[in-house]
Amino acid sequence: MTYKMIIVVFGVFLYCFDSDNWTYFKKVGSIKSIIEDDDLTHFITSNGIYSYDDISNNYFYNFNLSKGIDFDNEIEFFYFDSNTSMYWFIDNYGIKMKHSFHAFWNEISFRRLNILDINQIVNIGSSSDHIWIKLFNQIIPLDQITGNIIKEDISNLNLDDISWSDQYYQDIDLSRYVIFDDWSIRANKITNNEGKELNPTSQMVDRNNNLWVGTSEGALLKGSTYSHRLEIVEFGLKSNNITTAFLASDKDWWFGDSQFLRTGVLRNKNNFKYNNYFLNHWNRSNNAWSYLDVNNSFSIQNLDVNDLIIFNDIIYMATMQGLILYNLSDNDWSKIDSGLHDQAIWDIEYSDNSIFVATSNGYNEISTLSQSIITSQDLLSELLKNNQVYDIFIDGKIMYVASEIGLFEKHFNINNYKLLSEKKVKNISKYNNNIFINDDDLWKLNLNTLDVEKIETKVINFSVFENFIWINHGDYS
């Protein structure tokens, strides 16, 4: 069990982190090997270990197995010993092992086994009494629990009882399999009608005679050895980075990424031939994934999603080239870019059939009924023209606007405003009678007295959820 430091609106305390209470999302990396244990099928990738539970038909990122593994260092062998329920893997640094009930990996250095480096190792296997490491010129028996070298003469042991891993000695032949949905198999490469290519890297037939095929692109295929039909299994994120997330009213999650917010470089569609995914969608109740791409929309070129909200089955996405709308009911795309103070939109907020968008030159109001920009003589909007508006927070009939010239309060029924702070505020949130503001440091502003208290330094952004403040410092949170 680990602990994270988070801030409560009235103090600081240690938050108890239990991995069983959390769901983890990561992009599926290149699939190096596939194994199964007594209960699950595991996909060992360059970005972590993912697992499948055939009883619940559930795919998930396996935090407990992945924890403590450096996936920047390629895993050469991954093995499950069904005799002891122990996992073993070998990388450039040594041999690691753990029991399925344990939270940590134990390491055996190559030096303990008189092995110079990983290039000497040919395979790993197990028998009823030992774990075996196969080298080019010998095999080494290890104790199944401690990993210590067995000193006895192996000539007295039944070497035919060893079950060797076959995951790295596979001749992947898919010539007898078919795949549909605009995909085809040719010369052991899987291609679709748009020219996208999947290259198989690993395969395994499980206890239920399902064929699993992993690819270097991170795509996973599943099929039956009886029907010889394969299908692509979609799960996990399609992006390594997530900068915005939205929990819809139906409890579904939507995830987007803005390369521009992370790097300052625009992510345009013509620079990504095959990976034009706009949003990742996770249906929580069914644990099902789907993906929104813009391949069929010629008007949409920028893929940076700075913010998003969903209202009346329409997804509103803030991009660097205007407001993108996607109708979930009829799968229709539309775009609002003309008439905005600027096409670069940082934030979106909803109130009373209106969408308020913060742009790099002020803010606009857009009707959710007509999907058109509302023109008005709003004094605050006029004041903030040609000024960066970074964030908007709406609480009932009051709107708070964070800009490069300060933090403002505006009542919707009054055409006036109040300056709350002259700080260059980048993002804001509210809890009771306090506004929390970030200008690279996190401050608490009392709305009754306008007193300001510094809470934390070097803050990229933050979020208030219930009575907690979650703070992003960039390399930790």
Side-chain angles (χ1 to χ4, degrees), residues 5 19 21 64 100 102 118 174 197 238 335 360 438:
M5 182 74 76
S19 61
N21 296 330
N64 290 324
S100 56
H102 293 169
I118 196 172
L174 302 178
E197 186 176 282
K238 295 294 186 182
K335 182 178 180 181
S360 61
N438 172 30

Side-chain angles (χ1 to χ4, degrees), residues 142-155:
L142 304 179
D143 184 277
Q144 293 170 306
I145 303 300
T146 65
N148 293 329
I149 295 180
I150 302 298
K151 300 296 186 181
E152 63 185 287
D153 185 359
I154 66 172
S155 62

Side-chain angles (χ1 to χ4, degrees), residues 17-258:
F17 176 83
D18 186 344
S19 61
D20 292 333
N21 296 330
W22 292 73
T23 300
Y24 303 85
F25 305 111
K26 292 188 74 175
K27 180 182 179 182
V28 180
S30 175
I31 301 174
K32 304 297 184 180
S33 62
I34 305 172
I35 69 166
E36 64 177 344
D37 60 22
D38 296 332
D39 302 306
L40 305 172
T41 302
H42 302 292
F43 313 100
I44 292 81
T45 84
S46 59
N47 204 29
I49 298 174
Y50 303 80
S51 301
Y52 170 70
D53 184 343
D54 63 346
I55 296 178
S56 62
N57 193 30
N58 181 24
Y59 296 85
F60 60 96
Y61 175 75
N62 197 317
F63 177 84
N64 290 324
L65 266 187
S66 301
K67 184 181 179 183
I69 300 178
D70 178 9
F71 289 97
D72 290 332
N73 180 36
E74 185 169 345
I75 296 174
E76 295 294 337
F77 301 91
F78 201 99
Y79 187 77
F80 176 74
D81 178 19
S82 59
N83 300 295
T84 58
S85 296
M86 297 279 288
Y87 298 96
W88 296 74
F89 78 87
I90 305 174
D91 61 16
N92 289 325
Y93 298 131
I95 302 172
K96 282 85 172 175
M97 63 181 192
K98 67 171 284 188
H99 193 277
S100 56
F101 293 147
H102 293 169
F104 56 88
W105 292 89
N106 291 315
E107 182 170 354
I108 306 168
S109 68
F110 289 145
R111 183 164 46 178
R112 280 177 56 188
L113 308 181
N114 293 318
I115 297 174
L116 294 177
D117 58 45
I118 196 172
N119 295 319
Q120 287 185 268
I121 300 177
V122 176
N123 208 342
I124 182 173
S126 66
S127 61
S128 57
D129 299 315
H130 303 94
I131 289 292
W132 297 85
I133 305 298
K134 185 175 184 179
L135 309 183
F136 284 106
N137 58 352
Q138 68 177 116
I139 53 177
I140 303 173
L142 304 179
D143 184 277
Q144 293 170 306
I145 303 300
T146 65
N148 293 329
I149 295 180
I150 302 298
K151 300 296 186 181
E152 63 185 287
D153 185 359
I154 66 172
S155 62
N156 298 323
L157 301 176
N158 183 10
L159 302 184
D160 293 333
D161 185 38
I162 301 175
S163 174
W164 295 104
S165 169
D166 62 355
Q167 57 191 301
Y168 298 94
Y169 302 93
Q170 301 176 349
D171 180 17
I172 300 176
D173 182 9
L174 302 178
S175 59
R176 296 183 299 126
Y177 287 83
V178 296
I179 186 171
F180 300 106
D181 298 327
D182 300 323
W183 290 86
S184 62
I185 300 174
R186 297 176 182 175
N188 264 11
K189 289 185 178 180
I190 303 165
T191 58
N192 68 1
N193 54 12
E194 296 178 350
K196 184 176 181 179
E197 186 176 282
L198 302 177
N199 295 279
T201 53
S202 56
Q203 69 175 8
M204 185 201 69
V205 177
D206 66 19
R207 63 177 69 89
N208 297 317
N209 288 311
N210 294 310
L211 173 68
W212 298 92
V213 179
T215 68
S216 59
E217 292 76 17
L220 179 68
L221 295 95
K222 181 184 180 183
S224 168
T225 57
Y226 300 121
S227 68
H228 288 186
R229 175 177 175 176
L230 292 173
E231 61 180 10
I232 296 178
V233 179
E234 299 280 18
F235 69 96
L237 297 171
K238 295 294 186 182
S239 171
N240 279 318
N241 301 285
I242 296 298
T243 57
T244 185
F246 184 81
L247 178 60
S249 58
D250 57 5
K251 303 303 180 182
D252 282 12
W253 280 94
W254 295 81
F255 304 95
D257 174 46
S258 173

Side-chain angles (χ1 to χ4, degrees), residues 296-333:
N296 298 323
S297 178
F298 297 103
S299 64
I300 300 172
Q301 294 300 318
N302 180 249
L303 302 179
D304 293 302
V305 180
N306 299 328
D307 193 21
L308 70 103
I309 64 170
I310 300 176
F311 178 73
N312 279 350
D313 260 0
I314 296 178
I315 306 176
Y316 296 84
M317 290 163 275
T319 76
M320 300 303 295
Q321 295 181 354
L323 187 68
I324 306 299
L325 285 66
Y326 181 76
N327 192 312
L328 292 166
S329 300
D330 57 19
N331 301 320
D332 184 49
W333 292 94

